[in-house]
């Protein structure tokens, strides 16, 4: 059945570009003749009826802002069979017959459960981590990488002035994509990611020592959050090489800020596609990027896809950082 009255929510960690996706959902729905509602604070808003009608002007002046105008949350209460049933019952009471969920894998599991409870859902990948296996790209990833790159460039200035080593931790709990890309872009001597086992002597100390012999005097090491032990890594570098070393944990600065052009455009494409699916009576689909094209997969199948780490890019990072 084609959806006529749809809702949109953002869930999990926020990501720059989520607002562009919300805007696209709202404006596409209106241009397809649907009624559209904004749900506040992720699935929590569906549980407690925090839902409001959205109009063309409701999403004015948000495309350039980071964060999410709908607010977001991780909702343990929704993640129970009773929670899902209550959210579905609220949707039925309000006459909502389609929901666009912008978030990560956890949010998609919720979308699948809500679909199974009778409310057709479509997922849109929004997370800075780029850790959604089914999609080559997630909304927020480009902005986060550019923010991290800019911050590391600044760290590099002071690292160079002091002949130091800076160990910079970037976000990415299960996924080293931000670390790998920013490591290449900032000329890091080493990049540590959760996907690849590393040998402290060979992959870190030997590289630093070799570069020192060729005249290099300052070093950047980029560590993905998921690797952990960033302070210990830094202390050990200082102890074993004698190079004064400092840790910087970039943290949530990477989650904020004005989205890049790429994030705004991809978010707009994905939001549009999501509403087209609901208009065409589809449900339990996730909108993804595949070879620069926007396509969609069954959510349940998408959640089971294995993540593919870019080994070649890792090799390039390795070979160039000398
Ligand atoms: O959104 C993904 C992410 O930023 C991860 O990189 C990070 O581990 C996590 O969220 C942090 O979550 P929170 O903001 O809840 O501390």
């Amino acid at each position: 059945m084609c959806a006529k009255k749809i809702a949109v929510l953002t869930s999990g960690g926020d990501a720059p570009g989520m607002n562009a996706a919300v805007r696209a959902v709202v404006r596409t729905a209106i241009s397809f003749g649907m009624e559209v509602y904004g749900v506040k604070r992720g699935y929590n808003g569906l549980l407690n009826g925090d839902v409001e009608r959205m109009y063309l002007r409701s999403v004015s002046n948000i495309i350039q802002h980071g964060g999410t105008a709908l607010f977001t949350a991780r909702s343990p209460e929704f993640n129970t069979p009773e929670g899902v049933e209550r959210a579905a019952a609220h949707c039925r009471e309000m006459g909502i017959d389609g929901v666009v969920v912008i978030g990560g894998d956890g949010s998609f599991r919720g979308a699948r459960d809500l679909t199974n409870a009778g409310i057709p859902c479509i997922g849109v990948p929004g997370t800075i981590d780029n850790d959604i296996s089914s999609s080559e790209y997630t909304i927020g990833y480009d902005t986060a990488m550019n923010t991290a790159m800019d911050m590391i460039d600044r760290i590099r200035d002071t690292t160079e002035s002091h002949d130091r080593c800076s160990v910079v931790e970037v976000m990415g709990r299960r996924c080293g994509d931000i670390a790998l890309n920013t490591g290449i872009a900032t000329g890091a001597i080493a990049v540590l990611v959760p996907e690849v086992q590393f040998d402290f002597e060979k992959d870190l100390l030997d590289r630093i020592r070799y570069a020192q012999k060729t005249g290099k005097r300052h070093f950047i090491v980029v560590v993905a959050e998921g690797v952990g032990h960033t302070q210990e890594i830094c202390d050990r570098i200082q102890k074993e090489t004698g190079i004064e070393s400092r840790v910087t944990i970039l943290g949530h600065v990477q989650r904020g800020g004005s989205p890049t052009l790429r994030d705004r455009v991809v978010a707009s494409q994905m939001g549009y596609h999501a509403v087209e699916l609901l208009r065409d009576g589809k449900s339990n689909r996730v909108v993804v990027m595949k070879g620069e094209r926007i396509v969609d997969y069954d959510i349940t199948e998408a959640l089971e896809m294995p993540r593919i780490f870019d080994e070649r890019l890792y090799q390039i990072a390795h070979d160039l950082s000398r």
Side-chain angles (χ1 to χ4, degrees), residues 57-318:
R57 297 275 74 78
S58 315
V59 288
S60 292
N61 204 30
I62 63 169
I63 195 167
Q64 76 278 27
H65 293 308
T68 160
L70 291 178
F71 305 99
T72 186
R74 298 192 168 96
S75 175
E77 202 188 339
F78 174 78
N79 283 329
T80 60
E82 302 75 44
V84 172
E85 205 28 71
R86 247 182 63 212
H90 268 137
C91 287
R92 277 191 285 274
E93 275 162 32
M94 291 182 283
I96 287 169
D97 53 9
V99 181
V100 177
V101 174
I102 305 164
D105 272 347
S107 311
F108 297 162
R109 278 189 278 278
R112 174 201 58 200
D113 295 346
L114 197 56
T115 304
N116 289 337
I119 308 299
C121 291
I122 306 293
V124 169
T127 160
I128 65 161
D129 284 4
N130 202 37
D131 61 349
I132 295 178
S133 353
S134 55
S135 187
E136 287 162 10
Y137 190 81
T138 60
I139 296 165
Y141 174 49
D142 190 56
T143 307
M145 282 193 298
N146 277 289
T147 302
M149 181 183 73
D150 184 40
M151 296 297 132
I152 298 172
D153 283 348
R154 289 162 195 244
I155 291 166
R156 193 186 183 119
D157 290 344
T158 168
T159 305
E160 182 177 11
S161 306
H162 288 263
D163 290 332
R164 281 179 175 160
C165 172
S166 278
V167 181
V168 185
E169 182 184 296
V170 298
M171 273 188 167
R173 218 176 344 205
R174 297 171 300 156
C175 174
D177 285 6
I178 296 178
L180 178 55
N181 284 273
T182 55
I184 291 175
T186 59
I189 189 77
V191 178
L192 310 184
V193 295
E195 291 91 340
V196 182
Q197 268 285 354
F198 75 98
D199 177 322
F200 207 94
E201 272 299 322
K202 191 164 98 7
D203 299 326
L204 253 177
L205 300 179
D206 286 356
R207 297 175 77 75
I208 291 174
R209 289 187 190 116
Y210 177 81
Q212 260 185 321
K213 277 198 204 123
T214 63
K216 192 169 171 64
R217 295 171 65 90
H218 70 277
F219 304 89
I220 301 287
V221 175
V222 178
V223 183
E225 176 191 9
V227 170
H229 317 293
T230 310
Q231 185 64 54
E232 285 164 41
I233 292 169
C234 178
D235 293 345
R236 192 164 160 200
I237 291 172
Q238 174 159 310
K239 186 158 165 268
E240 305 215 17
T241 64
I243 302 166
E244 201 182 1
S245 303
R246 296 283 187 272
V247 163
T248 306
I249 296 177
L250 292 184
H252 288 79
V253 71
Q254 296 158 97
R255 284 241 299 258
S258 180
T260 58
L261 176 141
R262 181 157 168 81
D263 276 325
R264 297 181 200 191
V265 174
V266 173
S268 302
Q269 290 174 288
M270 287 183 165
Y272 189 90
H273 192 102
V275 181
E276 274 184 329
L277 291 170
L278 288 174
R279 179 201 59 189
D280 297 343
K282 307 264 175 60
S283 71
N284 205 44
R285 309 290 297 174
V286 57
V287 178
V288 302
M289 181 176 281
K290 178 92 187 140
E292 291 300 310
R293 288 184 54 237
I294 306 297
V295 297
D296 53 275
Y297 296 139
D298 177 81
I299 292 186
T300 315
E301 284 169 22
L303 285 170
E304 275 160 21
M305 290 178 182
R307 232 188 77 74
I308 297 163
F309 180 67
D310 193 339
E311 302 284 348
R312 184 167 163 78
L313 197 58
Y314 186 77
Q315 188 61 46
I316 290 171
H318 190 268

